[in-house]
Amino acid sequence: MGLPSDGDPPATAGGTDNQRRMTNSKQRIFVQRCIAPECRAKYNLDDRLYVCSRCGGLLDIERVEDFASDASSSLRDLWLKRRISADARDRSGVWRFREFLPFDDDIEVVSLEEGNTPLYDAPRSADYCRLPQLKLKHQGCNPTGSFKDTGMTVAVTQARKLGVRTVACASTGNTAASLAAYAARAELLCTIIVPSGQISHAKLAQALDYGAKVLEIDGNFDACMNAVRELAEDESAYLVNSINPFRIEGQKTVAFELAEQFGWRVPDHLVVPGGNLGNSSAFGKGFRELVSSGLVDRAPKITVVQAAGAAPFAHFYADPSQAFVNEEHPKTLASAIKIGAPVSWQKAWRAVTETGGSVLTVTEQEIADAKAMIGRDGIGCEPASATTVAGIRKLVEDGVIKTDESVVAVLTGHLLKDTDYVMKYHSGSLIAPDGSQIQPSSAFIRGQD
Ligand code: F0G
Protein backbone atom coordinates (compact mmCIF):
# COMPACT_ATOMS: atom_id res chain seq x y z
CA MET A 1 0.00 0.00 0.00
CA GLY A 2 1.36 3.42 -0.91
CA LEU A 3 1.80 6.20 1.60
CA PRO A 4 -0.58 9.12 1.32
CA SER A 5 0.63 12.23 -0.43
CA ASP A 6 -0.71 15.75 0.07
CA GLY A 7 -0.44 18.06 -2.86
CA ASP A 8 1.80 16.21 -5.28
CA PRO A 9 0.50 13.67 -7.76
CA PRO A 10 0.88 10.06 -6.58
CA ALA A 11 3.83 7.95 -7.64
CA THR A 12 2.12 6.66 -10.76
CA ALA A 13 1.03 10.12 -11.86
CA GLY A 14 4.41 11.30 -13.11
CA GLY A 15 5.37 12.54 -16.60
CA THR A 16 4.68 15.65 -18.59
CA ASP A 17 1.19 16.68 -19.65
CA ASN A 18 1.96 15.57 -23.18
CA GLN A 19 3.17 12.17 -22.15
CA ARG A 20 0.09 11.74 -20.03
CA ARG A 21 -2.25 12.56 -22.90
CA MET A 22 -0.38 10.31 -25.30
CA THR A 23 -0.41 7.25 -23.08
CA ASN A 24 -3.94 8.06 -21.94
CA SER A 25 -3.37 5.81 -18.95
CA LYS A 26 -6.17 6.10 -16.42
CA GLN A 27 -3.59 5.18 -13.79
CA ARG A 28 -2.13 8.58 -14.49
CA ILE A 29 -5.37 10.54 -14.70
CA PHE A 30 -7.21 9.25 -11.61
CA VAL A 31 -6.31 9.00 -7.92
CA GLN A 32 -8.10 7.96 -4.76
CA ARG A 33 -8.52 10.98 -2.54
CA CYS A 34 -9.78 11.59 0.99
CA ILE A 35 -12.85 13.82 1.01
CA ALA A 36 -12.12 15.36 4.44
CA PRO A 37 -11.30 19.03 3.74
CA GLU A 38 -8.57 19.09 6.38
CA CYS A 39 -6.84 15.99 4.98
CA ARG A 40 -7.32 15.47 1.20
CA ALA A 41 -4.62 12.75 1.13
CA LYS A 42 -4.09 11.07 -2.25
CA TYR A 43 -3.54 7.41 -2.98
CA ASN A 44 -2.86 5.35 -6.06
CA LEU A 45 -5.78 3.58 -7.69
CA ASP A 46 -4.45 0.15 -6.79
CA ASP A 47 -3.96 0.89 -3.10
CA ARG A 48 -6.39 -1.48 -1.45
CA LEU A 49 -8.21 0.97 0.77
CA TYR A 50 -11.78 1.65 1.83
CA VAL A 51 -11.15 4.77 3.91
CA CYS A 52 -8.23 7.19 4.19
CA SER A 53 -5.39 5.47 6.04
CA ARG A 54 -4.33 8.82 7.50
CA CYS A 55 -7.60 10.19 8.93
CA GLY A 56 -10.27 7.53 8.36
CA GLY A 57 -12.24 9.78 5.98
CA LEU A 58 -14.21 8.51 2.99
CA LEU A 59 -12.40 8.21 -0.33
CA ASP A 60 -13.40 9.54 -3.72
CA ILE A 61 -11.95 8.58 -7.05
CA GLU A 62 -10.82 11.90 -8.48
CA ARG A 63 -9.64 13.02 -11.91
CA VAL A 64 -6.31 14.78 -11.78
CA GLU A 65 -6.92 16.33 -15.20
CA ASP A 66 -10.13 17.91 -16.43
CA PHE A 67 -11.66 17.06 -19.77
CA ALA A 68 -11.18 19.73 -22.39
CA SER A 69 -14.52 21.56 -22.40
CA ASP A 70 -14.78 21.16 -26.18
CA ALA A 71 -14.80 17.37 -25.78
CA SER A 72 -18.42 17.21 -24.66
CA SER A 73 -20.19 16.99 -28.03
CA SER A 74 -17.85 14.31 -29.35
CA LEU A 75 -18.29 12.32 -26.15
CA ARG A 76 -22.07 12.49 -26.45
CA ASP A 77 -21.85 11.21 -30.04
CA LEU A 78 -19.44 8.46 -29.08
CA TRP A 79 -21.66 7.25 -26.22
CA LEU A 80 -24.72 7.21 -28.44
CA LYS A 81 -22.90 5.23 -31.16
CA ARG A 82 -21.88 2.65 -28.60
CA ARG A 83 -25.54 1.77 -28.08
CA ILE A 84 -25.54 -0.10 -31.38
CA SER A 85 -22.11 -1.65 -30.93
CA ALA A 86 -21.55 -5.35 -30.21
CA ASP A 87 -18.54 -4.75 -27.94
CA ALA A 88 -19.29 -6.12 -24.43
CA ARG A 89 -18.25 -2.84 -22.85
CA ASP A 90 -20.51 -0.83 -25.13
CA ARG A 91 -23.51 -3.03 -24.34
CA SER A 92 -23.13 -2.11 -20.67
CA GLY A 93 -24.84 1.12 -19.63
CA VAL A 94 -21.97 1.65 -17.21
CA TRP A 95 -18.90 0.95 -19.36
CA ARG A 96 -20.41 2.89 -22.26
CA PHE A 97 -19.30 5.96 -20.28
CA ARG A 98 -15.83 4.58 -19.58
CA GLU A 99 -14.02 7.84 -20.33
CA PHE A 100 -15.14 8.78 -16.81
CA LEU A 101 -14.12 5.49 -15.20
CA PRO A 102 -10.70 4.87 -13.62
CA PHE A 103 -9.52 2.00 -15.81
CA ASP A 104 -7.33 1.64 -18.87
CA ASP A 105 -9.09 0.89 -22.13
CA ASP A 106 -7.81 -2.67 -22.29
CA ILE A 107 -9.29 -3.69 -18.93
CA GLU A 108 -11.31 -6.89 -19.09
CA VAL A 109 -14.62 -5.89 -17.53
CA VAL A 110 -16.87 -8.10 -15.42
CA SER A 111 -20.26 -7.21 -16.85
CA LEU A 112 -23.79 -8.56 -17.06
CA GLU A 113 -24.91 -5.80 -19.45
CA GLU A 114 -26.10 -3.68 -16.56
CA GLY A 115 -27.55 -0.20 -16.91
CA ASN A 116 -29.47 1.19 -19.91
CA THR A 117 -32.59 1.11 -17.75
CA PRO A 118 -35.91 2.65 -18.74
CA LEU A 119 -37.14 6.12 -17.83
CA TYR A 120 -40.89 5.63 -17.62
CA ASP A 121 -43.73 8.13 -17.69
CA ALA A 122 -45.95 7.34 -14.71
CA PRO A 123 -49.28 9.16 -15.11
CA ARG A 124 -51.08 7.58 -12.17
CA SER A 125 -48.20 8.19 -9.82
CA ALA A 126 -48.03 11.75 -11.17
CA ASP A 127 -51.74 12.27 -10.39
CA TYR A 128 -51.15 10.82 -6.94
CA CYS A 129 -48.43 13.43 -6.36
CA ARG A 130 -50.61 16.14 -7.97
CA LEU A 131 -48.06 16.71 -10.70
CA PRO A 132 -48.78 16.94 -14.42
CA GLN A 133 -45.90 14.60 -15.12
CA LEU A 134 -43.60 12.28 -13.24
CA LYS A 135 -40.81 10.10 -14.55
CA LEU A 136 -39.56 6.93 -12.91
CA LYS A 137 -36.01 5.77 -13.61
CA HIS A 138 -36.28 2.05 -13.01
CA GLN A 139 -33.02 0.70 -11.71
CA GLY A 140 -34.86 -2.48 -10.78
CA CYS A 141 -34.53 -3.41 -14.47
CA ASN A 142 -30.87 -4.28 -13.95
CA PRO A 143 -29.69 -7.92 -14.31
CA THR A 144 -30.16 -8.86 -10.66
CA GLY A 145 -33.15 -6.56 -10.18
CA SER A 146 -31.58 -3.62 -8.36
CA PHE A 147 -29.41 -0.54 -8.87
CA LYS A 148 -26.50 -2.29 -7.16
CA ASP A 149 -25.39 -3.88 -10.43
CA THR A 150 -24.17 -0.58 -11.85
CA GLY A 151 -21.72 -0.28 -8.98
CA MET A 152 -20.86 -3.94 -8.72
CA THR A 153 -19.62 -4.29 -12.29
CA VAL A 154 -16.94 -1.70 -11.50
CA ALA A 155 -16.08 -2.90 -7.98
CA VAL A 156 -15.71 -6.53 -9.10
CA THR A 157 -13.67 -5.47 -12.13
CA GLN A 158 -11.36 -3.67 -9.70
CA ALA A 159 -11.31 -6.77 -7.45
CA ARG A 160 -10.13 -8.90 -10.35
CA LYS A 161 -7.57 -6.29 -11.35
CA LEU A 162 -6.18 -6.35 -7.80
CA GLY A 163 -5.95 -10.15 -7.97
CA VAL A 164 -8.11 -10.82 -4.91
CA ARG A 165 -9.63 -14.27 -4.35
CA THR A 166 -12.59 -13.41 -2.15
CA VAL A 167 -15.05 -10.53 -2.27
CA ALA A 168 -17.38 -9.72 0.62
CA CYS A 169 -20.19 -7.42 1.67
CA ALA A 170 -22.77 -6.79 4.35
CA SER A 171 -26.24 -6.44 2.97
CA THR A 172 -29.95 -5.94 3.42
CA GLY A 173 -30.26 -8.24 0.40
CA ASN A 174 -29.72 -6.45 -2.89
CA THR A 175 -26.00 -5.84 -2.55
CA ALA A 176 -25.67 -9.51 -1.65
CA ALA A 177 -27.61 -10.68 -4.70
CA SER A 178 -25.67 -8.38 -6.98
CA LEU A 179 -22.22 -9.18 -5.60
CA ALA A 180 -22.95 -12.90 -5.69
CA ALA A 181 -23.81 -12.67 -9.40
CA TYR A 182 -20.78 -10.59 -10.39
CA ALA A 183 -18.44 -12.72 -8.27
CA ALA A 184 -19.78 -15.80 -10.06
CA ARG A 185 -19.07 -14.16 -13.43
CA ALA A 186 -15.56 -13.28 -12.28
CA GLU A 187 -14.98 -16.72 -10.72
CA LEU A 188 -14.23 -15.17 -7.34
CA LEU A 189 -15.23 -16.54 -3.96
CA CYS A 190 -18.01 -14.53 -2.37
CA THR A 191 -18.92 -14.11 1.29
CA ILE A 192 -21.96 -12.12 2.30
CA ILE A 193 -23.13 -11.19 5.77
CA VAL A 194 -26.82 -10.53 6.29
CA PRO A 195 -29.04 -9.84 9.31
CA SER A 196 -30.74 -13.10 10.19
CA GLY A 197 -34.44 -13.22 9.34
CA GLN A 198 -34.49 -9.63 8.15
CA ILE A 199 -33.96 -9.84 4.41
CA SER A 200 -36.41 -10.94 1.76
CA HIS A 201 -36.37 -14.56 0.61
CA ALA A 202 -36.10 -13.53 -3.01
CA LYS A 203 -32.82 -11.70 -2.41
CA LEU A 204 -31.41 -14.53 -0.30
CA ALA A 205 -32.44 -17.03 -2.98
CA GLN A 206 -30.53 -15.07 -5.59
CA ALA A 207 -27.35 -15.02 -3.51
CA LEU A 208 -27.59 -18.78 -2.91
CA ASP A 209 -28.20 -19.60 -6.55
CA TYR A 210 -25.24 -17.48 -7.64
CA GLY A 211 -23.09 -19.53 -5.27
CA ALA A 212 -22.26 -17.11 -2.45
CA LYS A 213 -21.37 -18.21 1.05
CA VAL A 214 -24.08 -16.60 3.18
CA LEU A 215 -23.45 -15.84 6.86
CA GLU A 216 -26.49 -14.79 8.84
CA ILE A 217 -25.84 -12.98 12.09
CA ASP A 218 -28.08 -11.94 14.95
CA GLY A 219 -28.28 -8.19 14.74
CA ASN A 220 -29.15 -5.61 12.14
CA PHE A 221 -27.44 -4.42 8.97
CA ASP A 222 -25.16 -2.10 10.91
CA ALA A 223 -23.80 -5.04 12.90
CA CYS A 224 -23.21 -6.90 9.61
CA MET A 225 -21.35 -3.89 8.27
CA ASN A 226 -19.05 -3.84 11.31
CA ALA A 227 -18.41 -7.58 10.93
CA VAL A 228 -17.50 -7.37 7.26
CA ARG A 229 -15.21 -4.39 7.84
CA GLU A 230 -13.32 -6.49 10.37
CA LEU A 231 -13.15 -9.35 7.89
CA ALA A 232 -11.65 -7.06 5.26
CA GLU A 233 -9.05 -5.59 7.61
CA ASP A 234 -6.53 -8.41 7.24
CA GLU A 235 -7.10 -8.51 3.46
CA SER A 236 -8.66 -11.98 3.56
CA ALA A 237 -11.56 -10.49 1.65
CA TYR A 238 -12.07 -7.44 -0.57
CA LEU A 239 -14.94 -5.29 0.70
CA VAL A 240 -17.39 -4.09 -1.94
CA ASN A 241 -20.03 -2.23 0.04
CA SER A 242 -20.57 1.32 -1.15
CA ILE A 243 -17.84 2.57 1.18
CA ASN A 244 -15.59 1.19 -1.57
CA PRO A 245 -15.16 4.18 -3.93
CA PHE A 246 -15.15 1.95 -7.03
CA ARG A 247 -18.80 1.07 -6.33
CA ILE A 248 -19.67 4.76 -6.43
CA GLU A 249 -17.84 5.13 -9.75
CA GLY A 250 -20.17 2.61 -11.36
CA GLN A 251 -23.30 4.02 -9.79
CA LYS A 252 -22.43 7.57 -10.83
CA THR A 253 -22.86 6.60 -14.49
CA VAL A 254 -26.64 6.49 -13.94
CA ALA A 255 -26.46 10.30 -13.82
CA PHE A 256 -24.84 10.19 -17.28
CA GLU A 257 -27.50 7.84 -18.62
CA LEU A 258 -30.27 9.98 -17.17
CA ALA A 259 -28.80 13.18 -18.63
CA GLU A 260 -28.62 11.43 -22.00
CA GLN A 261 -32.25 10.31 -21.71
CA PHE A 262 -33.17 13.94 -21.00
CA GLY A 263 -31.35 15.16 -24.13
CA TRP A 264 -28.45 16.48 -22.02
CA ARG A 265 -30.71 18.68 -19.98
CA VAL A 266 -31.47 17.62 -16.45
CA PRO A 267 -34.69 17.40 -14.46
CA ASP A 268 -35.32 19.99 -11.76
CA HIS A 269 -35.58 17.35 -9.04
CA LEU A 270 -34.08 13.90 -8.60
CA VAL A 271 -35.50 11.92 -5.68
CA VAL A 272 -33.82 8.81 -4.28
CA PRO A 273 -34.38 6.52 -1.29
CA GLY A 274 -31.74 6.71 1.44
CA GLY A 275 -30.28 3.77 3.36
CA ASN A 276 -26.51 3.45 3.52
CA LEU A 277 -26.46 6.60 1.34
CA GLY A 278 -24.19 5.31 -1.43
CA ASN A 279 -26.71 5.92 -4.18
CA SER A 280 -27.38 9.56 -3.37
CA SER A 281 -23.61 10.06 -3.05
CA ALA A 282 -23.10 8.53 -6.48
CA PHE A 283 -25.71 10.72 -8.15
CA GLY A 284 -24.11 13.77 -6.54
CA LYS A 285 -20.70 12.78 -7.91
CA GLY A 286 -22.05 11.94 -11.34
CA PHE A 287 -23.80 15.27 -11.76
CA ARG A 288 -20.81 17.17 -10.33
CA GLU A 289 -18.61 15.60 -13.02
CA LEU A 290 -21.18 16.22 -15.76
CA VAL A 291 -21.36 19.91 -14.84
CA SER A 292 -17.62 20.40 -14.46
CA SER A 293 -16.92 18.80 -17.84
CA GLY A 294 -19.56 20.92 -19.59
CA LEU A 295 -21.84 18.02 -20.50
CA VAL A 296 -24.81 19.59 -18.67
CA ASP A 297 -25.25 23.12 -17.39
CA ARG A 298 -26.54 22.33 -13.90
CA ALA A 299 -27.38 19.48 -11.54
CA PRO A 300 -30.88 18.52 -10.42
CA LYS A 301 -31.78 19.12 -6.80
CA ILE A 302 -31.02 15.77 -5.15
CA THR A 303 -33.51 14.85 -2.45
CA VAL A 304 -33.19 11.80 -0.21
CA VAL A 305 -36.22 10.08 1.32
CA GLN A 306 -35.93 7.81 4.37
CA ALA A 307 -38.43 5.65 6.18
CA ALA A 308 -39.48 7.49 9.36
CA GLY A 309 -38.21 4.65 11.58
CA ALA A 310 -34.76 4.54 9.97
CA ALA A 311 -33.95 8.18 9.37
CA PRO A 312 -30.64 9.33 10.89
CA PHE A 313 -29.84 11.39 7.79
CA ALA A 314 -33.19 13.18 7.89
CA HIS A 315 -32.63 13.99 11.57
CA PHE A 316 -29.24 15.43 10.77
CA TYR A 317 -30.74 17.49 7.92
CA ALA A 318 -33.31 18.90 10.35
CA ASP A 319 -30.50 20.27 12.54
CA PRO A 320 -27.02 20.10 11.00
CA SER A 321 -25.57 22.11 13.89
CA GLN A 322 -25.78 18.90 15.94
CA ALA A 323 -23.41 15.98 15.35
CA PHE A 324 -24.65 13.13 13.16
CA VAL A 325 -26.34 10.56 15.39
CA ASN A 326 -26.81 6.97 14.28
CA GLU A 327 -30.17 5.31 14.83
CA GLU A 328 -29.50 2.39 17.11
CA HIS A 329 -32.69 0.47 16.41
CA PRO A 330 -33.83 1.29 12.88
CA LYS A 331 -37.32 0.04 12.08
CA THR A 332 -39.15 -0.21 8.78
CA LEU A 333 -40.86 -2.82 6.63
CA ALA A 334 -38.81 -1.46 3.72
CA SER A 335 -36.06 -3.87 4.74
CA ALA A 336 -33.60 -2.66 2.08
CA ILE A 337 -33.25 0.68 3.90
CA LYS A 338 -33.46 -0.55 7.48
CA ILE A 339 -30.12 1.06 8.29
CA GLY A 340 -29.17 3.19 11.28
CA ALA A 341 -25.48 3.96 10.66
CA PRO A 342 -25.11 4.97 7.00
CA VAL A 343 -21.43 4.81 6.07
CA SER A 344 -21.57 7.37 3.25
CA TRP A 345 -23.53 10.13 4.95
CA GLN A 346 -20.85 12.79 4.42
CA LYS A 347 -20.84 12.20 0.67
CA ALA A 348 -24.63 12.22 0.56
CA TRP A 349 -24.64 15.44 2.56
CA ARG A 350 -22.36 16.97 -0.07
CA ALA A 351 -24.77 15.85 -2.82
CA VAL A 352 -27.82 17.32 -1.08
CA THR A 353 -26.24 20.61 -0.05
CA GLU A 354 -24.35 21.22 -3.32
CA THR A 355 -27.51 20.77 -5.37
CA GLY A 356 -29.98 22.52 -3.05
CA GLY A 357 -31.95 19.35 -2.38
CA SER A 358 -33.44 18.17 0.88
CA VAL A 359 -33.98 15.12 3.10
CA LEU A 360 -37.34 13.98 4.42
CA THR A 361 -39.12 11.02 5.92
CA VAL A 362 -42.27 9.11 5.01
CA THR A 363 -44.40 6.76 7.10
CA GLU A 364 -44.94 3.04 6.58
CA GLN A 365 -48.48 3.70 5.33
CA GLU A 366 -47.22 6.33 2.87
CA ILE A 367 -44.57 3.96 1.53
CA ALA A 368 -47.10 1.16 1.08
CA ASP A 369 -49.67 3.36 -0.70
CA ALA A 370 -47.09 4.92 -3.00
CA LYS A 371 -45.79 1.46 -3.85
CA ALA A 372 -49.25 0.27 -4.82
CA MET A 373 -49.69 3.37 -6.99
CA ILE A 374 -46.41 2.68 -8.82
CA GLY A 375 -47.81 -0.80 -9.40
CA ARG A 376 -50.97 0.72 -10.90
CA ASP A 377 -48.79 2.42 -13.48
CA GLY A 378 -47.83 -1.08 -14.63
CA ILE A 379 -44.33 -0.54 -13.32
CA GLY A 380 -43.97 -1.71 -9.72
CA CYS A 381 -41.00 -1.65 -7.37
CA GLU A 382 -39.90 -2.91 -3.98
CA PRO A 383 -40.94 -1.01 -0.82
CA ALA A 384 -37.73 1.01 -0.34
CA SER A 385 -38.04 2.44 -3.85
CA ALA A 386 -41.55 3.72 -3.17
CA THR A 387 -40.28 6.15 -0.53
CA THR A 388 -39.51 8.37 -3.53
CA VAL A 389 -43.07 8.75 -4.79
CA ALA A 390 -44.36 9.06 -1.22
CA GLY A 391 -41.77 11.78 -0.64
CA ILE A 392 -42.57 13.62 -3.86
CA ARG A 393 -46.25 13.72 -2.89
CA LYS A 394 -45.28 15.44 0.36
CA LEU A 395 -42.84 17.82 -1.32
CA VAL A 396 -45.53 18.93 -3.79
CA GLU A 397 -47.98 19.38 -0.93
CA ASP A 398 -45.43 21.52 0.92
CA GLY A 399 -44.65 23.61 -2.18
CA VAL A 400 -41.01 22.48 -2.29
CA ILE A 401 -41.63 20.89 -5.69
CA LYS A 402 -43.61 23.21 -8.02
CA THR A 403 -46.09 21.71 -10.44
CA ASP A 404 -44.25 23.16 -13.46
CA GLU A 405 -40.97 21.49 -12.48
CA SER A 406 -39.66 18.24 -13.92
CA VAL A 407 -39.21 15.42 -11.44
CA VAL A 408 -37.55 12.01 -11.59
CA ALA A 409 -37.95 9.35 -8.92
CA VAL A 410 -35.32 6.62 -8.88
CA LEU A 411 -36.82 3.17 -8.35
CA THR A 412 -34.02 1.12 -6.90
CA GLY A 413 -35.42 -2.41 -6.83
CA HIS A 414 -37.83 -4.68 -8.71
CA LEU A 415 -41.38 -5.49 -7.56
CA LEU A 416 -40.53 -9.20 -7.28
CA LYS A 417 -37.79 -8.55 -4.73
CA ASP A 418 -40.30 -8.63 -1.88
CA THR A 419 -43.56 -10.35 -2.76
CA ASP A 420 -44.48 -11.16 0.88
CA TYR A 421 -44.94 -7.45 1.46
CA VAL A 422 -47.11 -7.10 -1.64
CA MET A 423 -49.38 -10.01 -0.75
CA LYS A 424 -49.81 -8.78 2.81
CA TYR A 425 -50.58 -5.22 1.73
CA HIS A 426 -53.26 -6.25 -0.75
CA SER A 427 -54.83 -8.67 1.70
CA GLY A 428 -54.88 -6.13 4.54
CA SER A 429 -52.49 -8.08 6.74
CA LEU A 430 -49.39 -5.90 6.55
CA ILE A 431 -48.35 -4.92 10.07
CA ALA A 432 -46.01 -1.96 10.65
CA PRO A 433 -43.09 -2.24 13.13
CA ASP A 434 -45.14 -0.31 15.72
CA GLY A 435 -47.85 -3.00 15.55
CA SER A 436 -50.35 -0.91 13.59
CA GLN A 437 -52.09 -2.41 10.59
CA ILE A 438 -51.38 -0.91 7.20
CA GLN A 439 -54.64 -0.44 5.30
CA PRO A 440 -54.73 -1.06 1.56
CA SER A 441 -55.75 2.32 0.18
CA SER A 442 -58.43 3.12 -2.37
CA ALA A 443 -56.20 5.99 -3.44
CA PHE A 444 -54.44 3.81 -5.96
CA ILE A 445 -57.54 3.63 -8.10
CA ARG A 446 -57.48 6.51 -10.56
CA GLY A 447 -59.77 9.39 -9.69
CA GLN A 448 -60.23 8.37 -6.07
CA ASP A 449 -58.03 10.15 -3.62
N1 F0G B 1 -33.31 0.84 -2.37
C1 F0G B 1 -32.99 -0.46 -2.38
C2 F0G B 1 -33.88 -1.39 -3.11
C3 F0G B 1 -31.83 -0.91 -1.71
O1 F0G B 1 -31.52 -2.19 -1.74
C4 F0G B 1 -31.05 0.02 -1.00
C5 F0G B 1 -29.86 -0.40 -0.26
C6 F0G B 1 -31.45 1.37 -1.03
C7 F0G B 1 -32.56 1.74 -1.72
C8 F0G B 1 -30.66 2.42 -0.35
O2 F0G B 1 -29.54 2.78 -1.10
O3 F0G B 1 -27.87 2.35 0.66
O4 F0G B 1 -27.27 3.54 -1.44
O5 F0G B 1 -28.72 4.63 0.27
N2 F0G B 1 -29.52 -1.58 -0.08
C9 F0G B 1 -28.26 -2.03 0.49
C10 F0G B 1 -28.14 -3.52 0.39
C11 F0G B 1 -27.95 -1.47 1.80
O6 F0G B 1 -27.43 -4.15 1.19
O7 F0G B 1 -28.71 -4.11 -0.53
P1 F0G B 1 -28.27 3.36 -0.36
Side-chain angles (χ1 to χ4, degrees):
M1 181 189 302
L3 292 171
S5 67
D6 294 304
D8 298 324
T12 50
T16 65
D17 280 1
N18 266 348
Q19 280 168 335
R20 249 177 260 156
R21 274 190 201 102
M22 276 158 60
T23 55
N24 194 28
S25 168
K26 300 288 179 64
Q27 296 293 328
R28 296 170 189 277
I29 301 176
F30 291 87
V31 292
Q32 302 192 75
R33 189 158 197 198
C34 177
I35 71 162
E38 65 285 2
C39 178
R40 305 291 286 144
K42 291 179 185 173
Y43 303 90
N44 293 321
L45 283 182
D46 289 347
D47 288 344
R48 192 168 154 177
L49 296 166
Y50 312 108
V51 291
C52 176
S53 53
R54 185 153 78 187
C55 78
L58 296 173
L59 296 173
D60 255 347
I61 306 287
E62 202 174 272
R63 273 191 89 90
V64 179
E65 293 176 17
D66 279 338
F67 264 108
S69 54
D70 58 358
S72 53
S73 66
S74 53
L75 279 173
R76 287 178 195 149
D77 290 347
L78 176 67
W79 293 337
L80 200 59
K81 274 197 206 111
R82 285 179 181 162
R83 291 210 69 156
I84 51 166
S85 153
D87 185 308
R89 293 167 309 166
D90 295 345
R91 287 206 303 270
S92 160
V94 171
W95 295 98
R96 200 156 65 82
F97 301 104
R98 56 188 172 273
E99 283 68 23
F100 280 75
L101 294 175
F103 292 89
D104 287 337
D105 283 348
D106 57 359
I107 187 79
E108 203 187 315
V109 303
V110 183
S111 172
L112 285 162
E113 299 190 26
E114 53 290 317
N116 294 323
T117 58
L119 180 66
Y120 291 122
D121 266 323
R124 291 187 176 198
S125 301
D127 268 5
Y128 182 68
C129 297
R130 298 188 180 84
L131 282 174
Q133 220 196 20
L134 174 62
K135 290 198 183 283
L136 304 180
K137 174 74 176 153
H138 208 332
Q139 293 296 93
C141 297
N142 271 295
T144 76
S146 88
F147 73 103
K148 305 289 183 181
D149 296 344
T150 56
M152 216 49 91
T153 180
V154 173
V156 174
T157 295
Q158 175 69 5
R160 204 163 57 178
K161 182 176 163 219
L162 293 176
V164 307
R165 284 190 63 233
T166 305
V167 282
C169 71
S171 182
T172 56
N174 281 325
T175 305
S178 182
L179 176 59
Y182 283 84
R185 299 296 293 181
E187 295 184 49
L188 296 175
L189 299 172
C190 173
T191 300
I192 63 178
I193 305 185
V194 297
S196 180
Q198 295 182 48
I199 75 167
S200 90
H201 277 153
K203 297 173 187 178
L204 196 54
Q206 284 182 286
L208 293 172
D209 226 30
Y210 299 136
K213 187 157 115 195
V214 180
L215 305 176
E216 292 185 290
I217 64 171
D218 285 333
N220 59 23
F221 169 82
D222 305 307
C224 297
M225 193 67 225
N226 289 339
V228 80
R229 284 179 81 163
E230 260 173 49
L231 189 73
E233 234 155 55
D234 68 356
E235 303 210 342
S236 55
Y238 182 60
L239 176 66
V240 290
N241 279 98
S242 55
I243 197 167
N244 183 323
F246 288 89
R247 273 276 307 279
I248 302 296
E249 288 306 285
Q251 287 177 213
K252 83 179 179 192
T253 63
V254 186
F256 289 60
E257 188 179 298
L258 189 62
E260 185 184 60
Q261 286 171 315
F262 264 81
W264 299 104
R265 279 185 214 93
V266 293
D268 295 308
H269 296 271
L270 182 76
V271 183
V272 295
N276 217 13
L277 299 174
N279 202 25
S280 36
S281 302
F283 273 114
K285 187 168 196 283
F287 281 109
R288 193 177 317 124
E289 292 180 7
L290 284 168
V291 172
S292 70
S293 54
L295 281 151
V296 298
D297 60 0
R298 65 185 171 91
K301 290 180 177 165
I302 296 177
T303 287
V304 178
V305 192
Q306 296 204 290
F313 193 47
H315 297 147
F316 179 70
Y317 177 80
D319 186 0
S321 68
Q322 303 292 312
F324 192 96
V325 181
N326 292 332
E327 171 71 64
E328 221 176 299
H329 301 292
K331 291 186 189 72
T332 172
L333 295 176
S335 57
I337 51 171
K338 192 174 158 191
I339 294 173
V343 295
S344 295
W345 74 264
Q346 284 109 333
K347 286 186 182 177
W349 183 245
R350 198 171 53 172
V352 169
T353 50
E354 270 178 13
T355 64
S358 56
V359 189
L360 72 157
T361 63
V362 288
T363 65
E364 296 295 312
Q365 182 75 52
E366 287 169 331
I367 295 170
D369 291 343
K371 194 183 111 51
M373 183 58 75
I374 296 162
R376 295 286 304 185
D377 265 314
I379 295 170
C381 64
E382 70 164 283
S385 311
T387 54
T388 54
V389 169
I392 291 166
R393 191 173 201 245
K394 279 179 115 170
L395 292 167
V396 173
E397 220 166 71
D398 295 345
V400 177
I401 292 180
K402 312 276 184 298
T403 53
D404 62 349
E405 290 184 310
S406 51
V407 186
V408 174
V410 179
L411 302 183
T412 44
H414 197 278
L415 168 68
L416 296 175
K417 285 285 193 173
D418 192 350
T419 51
D420 274 2
Y421 181 105
V422 184
M423 298 308 286
K424 284 184 183 157
Y425 175 77
H426 289 286
S427 62
S429 58
L430 191 63
I431 308 295
D434 67 0
S436 64
Q437 191 180 350
I438 291 177
Q439 299 295 335
S441 170
S442 59
F444 59 78
I445 298 167
R446 188 171 204 157
Q448 293 181 10
D449 207 323

